[in-house]
Amino acid sequence: MGKSIILLKNETIPHDPYREKFKEKSIDVHFLPLLTHNPINHAEIIGFLTGDMFLKEYKAFIITSQRCIESLDTVLSMIDDKDTLNQILQKPAYTVGPATYDVLSALGFRNIKGGMNAGNGSILSDLIMSDELFKDGNKKILFLTGEIRKDIIPKKLKSAGFDLKELVAYRTQVRGDVVLRYTKLYNQLVSNDNEKWVVFFSPQGTEYITQHLINNKPDFKIASIGPTTEEYLRNLDIQPNVVSGKPNASSLLESISKA
């Protein structure tokens, strides 16, 4: 039996690892974005990144979100001075997960830390705190983040004496047409014989879609990325059929294939 999968996320541009991985198995993939991400503060970020304080005093920067990297890509494209751009790209960059690692590498960053070795913000913070880079006592580090972010990284680093500066690179808003678009997509898929799945990546932005699923009980299986999202769904009495052990396409595909 074939499979049709609705991924509750924005499709990563230009290459989405979930689309590519599922395409290998001829799985029908549909993206249903729950959020809009709007870049902000470009002038402020450019001014800081190209200034002497960042270039000469800051040891590294942290960037953990795909949307933040997309905003950074836009910022870097606006920097004309090649020497300055090269200095920025040589800064150590700490990130979470393999996907953001790969995108940063594609942008030209040469010293990327974390990635597959840091599956969440807490692990990344521990990695930063133990890094020999900061043993000289200079603990200045930049955190490029979204307007809404978790407190784990700032709390852990500040408690360890790090001089953490945050710059907000994008604003996230929940889309109001989620249920309308989901219903349209559901009606397209419900008539085919494929096994149907809805995949939750995060609790963020799911208020409308979870309420709709509670009220309508679709004949779709539910997949969750990670234990935090699983707990969130179970608290709403939505029982995931599978939980992907790792936040990547290969792990999700394996979990769904075994279900």
Side-chain angles (χ1 to χ4, degrees):
M1 179 185 292
K3 290 182 174 64
S4 293
I5 296 182
I6 299 175
L7 303 174
L8 300 179
K9 68 183 287 288
N10 294 71
E11 183 171 7
T12 301
I13 302 299
H15 304 291
D16 191 287
Y18 290 88
R19 180 180 290 283
E20 293 176 353
K21 179 59 65 174
F22 285 111
K23 186 177 180 180
E24 293 174 6
K25 300 298 182 180
S26 300
I27 294 175
D28 182 34
V29 177
H30 302 268
F31 291 85
L32 187 72
L34 305 179
L35 306 166
T36 58
H37 306 280
N38 301 308
I40 57 175
N41 299 331
H42 279 171
E44 180 184 3
I45 294 171
I46 290 172
F48 187 78
L49 291 181
T50 58
D52 284 345
M53 180 179 291
F54 176 72
L55 296 175
K56 295 180 179 179
E57 298 181 24
Y58 275 69
K59 287 292 191 69
F61 72 93
I62 306 164
I63 186 165
T64 61
S65 115
Q66 172 72 31
R67 304 307 157 194
C68 211
I69 294 175
E70 290 174 3
S71 182
L72 177 62
D73 184 20
T74 300
V75 165
L76 295 178
S77 70
M78 300 166 71
I79 298 174
D80 295 325
D81 188 287
K82 299 303 180 184
D83 290 337
T84 299
L85 180 60
N86 191 52
Q87 289 183 67
I88 295 171
L89 293 175
Q90 287 180 347
K91 291 278 186 184
Y94 294 92
T95 193
V96 169
T100 48
Y101 182 102
D102 291 344
V103 179
L104 278 175
S105 179
L107 291 187
F109 286 92
R110 305 177 183 94
N111 187 5
I112 308 169
K113 303 187 179 188
M116 291 187 67
N117 297 318
N120 58 49
S122 181
I123 295 173
L124 184 66
S125 299
D126 292 339
L127 188 152
I128 294 170
M129 291 187 291
S130 64
D131 199 319
E132 293 290 331
L133 179 67
F134 302 100
K135 296 302 182 183
D136 64 357
N138 178 2
K139 294 186 175 183
K140 288 188 176 181
I141 190 166
L142 173 66
F143 185 17
L144 289 174
T145 183
E147 197 172 49
I148 300 172
R149 57 109 175 106
K150 296 179 180 178
D151 292 332
I152 295 171
I153 292 175
K155 282 185 175 179
K156 292 192 77 167
L157 293 185
K158 288 179 181 178
S159 67
F162 278 77
D163 184 358
L164 181 78
K165 179 178 178 63
E166 294 186 55
L167 289 178
V168 176
Y170 70 96
R171 174 178 293 126
T172 298
Q173 294 175 303
V174 179
R175 295 184 59 155
D177 62 346
V178 170
V179 171
L180 180 65
R181 290 182 294 111
Y182 170 80
T183 301
K184 182 178 180 181
L185 183 54
Y186 175 85
N187 289 336
Q188 291 175 5
L189 299 179
V190 73
S191 60
N192 70 42
D193 293 329
N194 285 354
E195 181 180 86
K196 302 168 188 68
W197 288 82
V198 176
V199 181
F200 285 81
F201 288 79
S202 164
Q204 188 180 17
T206 62
E207 297 89 343
Y208 297 134
I209 189 67
T210 52
Q211 189 59 53
H212 181 76
L213 293 178
I214 291 168
N215 292 338
N216 293 275
K217 305 293 183 183
D219 185 25
F220 279 28
K221 293 184 176 181
I222 304 292
S224 165
I225 303 291
T228 301
T229 305
E230 176 192 14
E231 181 181 8
Y232 167 78
L233 292 172
R234 291 193 186 280
N235 287 339
L236 294 172
D237 201 27
I238 297 174
Q239 308 301 324
N241 297 89
V242 300
V243 179
S244 177
K246 296 180 181 179
N248 61 54
S250 296
S251 179
L252 177 62
L253 176 59
E254 182 180 0
S255 298
I256 288 176
S257 297
K258 290 180 177 179

